[in-house]
Amino acid sequence: MPTRSAPVPAQALIPPPERIVVPTKRVACDGGGGALGHPLVYIDMGEDDFVECGYCDRRFVLAADAHSEDEYHDPAARPPEAH
């Protein structure tokens, strides 16, 4: 009689969200652009050291050597005409 293996937990089947280390608490996310992207959103971490995008679940984590808060960090830099 063949043996049955234990079911694989759902956490093992779903890859964790993309983790992006950023230099500021303010970030911009478009899901990576292209056909699989989403509208460009700006997100502020507030008092936390990380924030997740409400569209694509990317997790933006504040770097140990964070910079000032004078601009948003865009992980998917695009030419100005794409905005």
Side-chain angles (χ1 to χ4, degrees), residues 18 20 28-41 53 55-58 60 74-76 78:
E18 184 177 4
I20 301 170
C29 184
D30 66 0
L36 299 178
H38 59 70
L40 179 65
V41 292
C53 176
Y55 283 99
C56 65
D57 293 331
R58 280 178 163 178
F60 296 92
D74 185 355
R78 295 169 298 164

Side-chain angles (χ1 to χ4, degrees), residues 5 11 14-16 18 20 25 32 35-36 38 41 43-44 47 53 56 58-59 67 69 74 81:
S5 60
Q11 296 87 348
I14 301 169
E18 184 177 4
I20 301 170
K25 286 188 165 242
L36 299 178
H38 59 70
V41 292
I43 312 166
D44 194 309
E47 297 298 319
C53 176
C56 65
R58 280 178 163 178
R59 178 175 277 216
H67 298 143
E69 301 294 316
D74 185 355
E81 61 271 8

